[in-house]
């Protein structure tokens, strides 16, 4: 049975009225940093457009939500005074930030963001006539508090290689590699600790065991491998440990070199700054030396 013309006119009138209302407020851009380092400030901005309705007074309500919780962590009604910090962000916001352009921007600055604030952030802008929202994720990562690489030689043709990193967030990934460097090439050896420039003759180590444990808001990762191929020891061997934090571009490397004729209880560890650490493996003591010492050590061997 066809609808009466009066009903069709009513539906058309409703569509004409409702459509502009849904466009009354619109978020045009949500700026949430994808990655923030633990302990640094994080600035989140929500840009929007508002078209006031002619028939009624417009009142903005600006809210930020965290991790899908129904209660906001930030709320500001410009017509009623200052913003409020709530829930997990209570006492952690710069409430003076983002309050100058309340008709076009809703900013929130977290002071000293920490790893537990990793999650989804939702900006919600509403008026009497409409609402819009957008969601983006922010990761607060913590670099390692310590990282070291070492080896031991239980027999003449066997190496046990071990790498440990502590205090990392979120859960990291660790890999072990080896290379056959030219010990005369100090630049190539130093570059072994640069994540962006891997050596052409760098190979992943086989049979690596990775253990990851969590303590509080950080992770400890340990990778170990046993190398039993005697051919590895016909010349210098460079062992490399690489630490990466997923969903970020963070990467750190450590390298340690075995030189033929070296005292069995001594190795030369090179960190990401190009500094040399002589590891007395029997006593597990690290003595840090400056980069010129690296060149002198290599020249003494060859």
């Amino acid at each position: 049975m066809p609808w009466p013309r009066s009903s069709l006119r009513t539906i058309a009138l409703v569509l004409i009225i409702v459509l502009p209302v849904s466009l009354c407020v619109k978020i045009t851009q949500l700026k949430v940093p994808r990655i923030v380092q633990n302990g640094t400030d994080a600035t989140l901005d929500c840009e929007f457009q508002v078209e006031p309705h002619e028939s009624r007074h417009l009142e903005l309500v600006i809210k930020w939500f965290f991790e899908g919780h129904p209660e906001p962590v930030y709320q500001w009604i410009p017509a009623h005074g200052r913003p409020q910090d709530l829930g997990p962000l209570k006492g952690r916001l710069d409430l003076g930030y983002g309050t100058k352009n309340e008709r076009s921007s809703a900013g929130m600055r977290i002071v000293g963001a920490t790893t537990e604030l990793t999650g989804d952030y939702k900006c919600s802008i509403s008026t009497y006539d409409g609402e819009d929202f957008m969601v983006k994720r922010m990761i607060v990562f913590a670099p390692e508090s310590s990282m070291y690489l070492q080896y031991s030689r239980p027999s003449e043709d066997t190496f046990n290689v071990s790498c440990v990193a502590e205090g990392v967030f979120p859960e990291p990934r660790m890999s072990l590699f080896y290379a056959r460097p030219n010990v005369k090439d100090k630049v190539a050896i130093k570059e072994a600790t640069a994540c962006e420039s891997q050596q052409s003759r760098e190979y992943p180590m086989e049979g690596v065991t990775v253990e990851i444990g969590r303590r509080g808001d950080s992770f400890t990762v340990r990778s170990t491998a046993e190398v039993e191929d005697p051919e590895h020891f016909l010349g210098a061997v460079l062992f490399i440990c690489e630490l990466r934090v997923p969903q970020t571009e963070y990467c750190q490397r450590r390298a340690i070199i075995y030189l033929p004729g070296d005292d069995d209880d001594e190795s030369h560890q090179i960190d990401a700054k190009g500094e040399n650490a002589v590891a007395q493996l029997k006593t597990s003591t690290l003595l840090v030396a400056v980069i010129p010492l690296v060149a002198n050590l290599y020249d003494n061997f060859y």
Side-chain angles (χ1 to χ4, degrees), residues 123-195:
C123 173
S124 170
I125 311 294
S126 62
T127 67
Y128 283 130
D129 296 323
E131 178 183 7
D132 196 12
F133 68 88
M134 287 183 114
V135 180
K136 280 191 176 181
R137 186 168 183 80
M138 182 177 78
I139 298 174
V140 184
F141 85 95
E144 74 286 352
S145 58
S146 65
M147 179 178 176
Y148 61 89
L149 171 66
Q150 64 183 25
Y151 70 78
S152 61
R153 296 192 65 185
S155 65
E156 290 185 2
D157 56 1
T158 302
F159 274 157
N160 288 336
V161 181
S162 176
C163 186
V164 178
E166 300 175 317
V168 190
F169 184 89
E171 184 175 322
R173 300 290 180 266
M174 181 177 280
S175 304
L176 296 178
F177 304 90
Y178 71 91
R180 300 293 298 275
N182 176 2
V183 294
K184 295 292 187 181
D185 188 352
K186 285 83 175 179
V187 174
I189 294 174
K190 180 180 177 181
E191 286 182 350
T193 59
C195 293

Side-chain angles (χ1 to χ4, degrees), residues 16 20 30 32 46 67 87 99 117 132 154 174 181-182 190 233 244 247 252 254 260 272 280 284 297:
I16 292 173
L30 181 61
V32 175
C46 187
E67 282 290 87
T99 58
L117 297 181
D132 196 12
M174 181 177 280
N182 176 2
K190 180 180 177 181
F233 313 117
R244 289 186 178 272
Q247 303 180 64
Q252 280 286 351
R254 296 291 185 269
Q280 303 294 338
S284 300
L297 285 170

Side-chain angles (χ1 to χ4, degrees), residues 91-273:
R92 307 193 66 174
L93 297 180
D94 176 3
L95 294 178
Y97 178 80
T99 58
K100 295 181 179 180
N101 301 310
E102 71 272 10
R103 293 287 170 155
S104 62
S105 179
M108 180 174 69
R109 176 174 290 161
I110 303 173
V111 179
T114 45
T115 56
E116 70 272 15
L117 297 181
T118 293
D120 293 330
Y121 287 83
K122 171 184 172 181
C123 173
S124 170
I125 311 294
S126 62
T127 67
Y128 283 130
D129 296 323
E131 178 183 7
D132 196 12
F133 68 88
M134 287 183 114
V135 180
K136 280 191 176 181
R137 186 168 183 80
M138 182 177 78
I139 298 174
V140 184
F141 85 95
E144 74 286 352
S145 58
S146 65
M147 179 178 176
Y148 61 89
L149 171 66
Q150 64 183 25
Y151 70 78
S152 61
R153 296 192 65 185
S155 65
E156 290 185 2
D157 56 1
T158 302
F159 274 157
N160 288 336
V161 181
S162 176
C163 186
V164 178
E166 300 175 317
V168 190
F169 184 89
E171 184 175 322
R173 300 290 180 266
M174 181 177 280
S175 304
L176 296 178
F177 304 90
Y178 71 91
R180 300 293 298 275
N182 176 2
V183 294
K184 295 292 187 181
D185 188 352
K186 285 83 175 179
V187 174
I189 294 174
K190 180 180 177 181
E191 286 182 350
T193 59
C195 293
E196 64 276 5
S197 58
Q198 295 187 2
Q199 298 190 32
S200 58
R201 293 188 176 184
E202 185 176 300
Y203 308 99
M205 297 184 67
E206 297 180 357
V208 177
T209 300
V210 180
E211 299 173 306
I212 300 177
R214 181 163 187 170
R215 185 175 182 180
D217 293 324
S218 67
F219 292 87
T220 295
V221 56
R222 178 190 299 271
S223 293
T224 56
E226 183 177 270
V227 184
E228 296 182 341
D229 185 357
E231 292 185 0
H232 285 297
F233 313 117
L234 297 179
V237 183
L238 188 66
F239 297 110
I240 303 160
C241 177
E242 181 178 277
L243 176 74
R244 289 186 178 272
V245 178
Q247 303 180 64
T248 76
E249 297 178 357
Y250 185 78
C251 174
Q252 280 286 351
R253 281 187 155 205
R254 296 291 185 269
I256 191 168
I257 190 168
Y258 164 74
L259 299 171
D262 233 353
D263 188 2
D264 287 349
D265 67 352
E266 186 175 288
S267 62
H268 305 288
Q269 179 165 285
I270 307 159
D271 67 13
K273 298 178 182 178

Side-chain angles (χ1 to χ4, degrees), residues 2-20:
W3 286 11
R5 289 187 177 182
S6 59
S7 298
L8 293 175
R9 282 196 298 269
T10 302
I11 293 173
L13 182 61
V14 170
L15 290 175
I16 292 173
I17 294 175
V18 170
L19 185 59

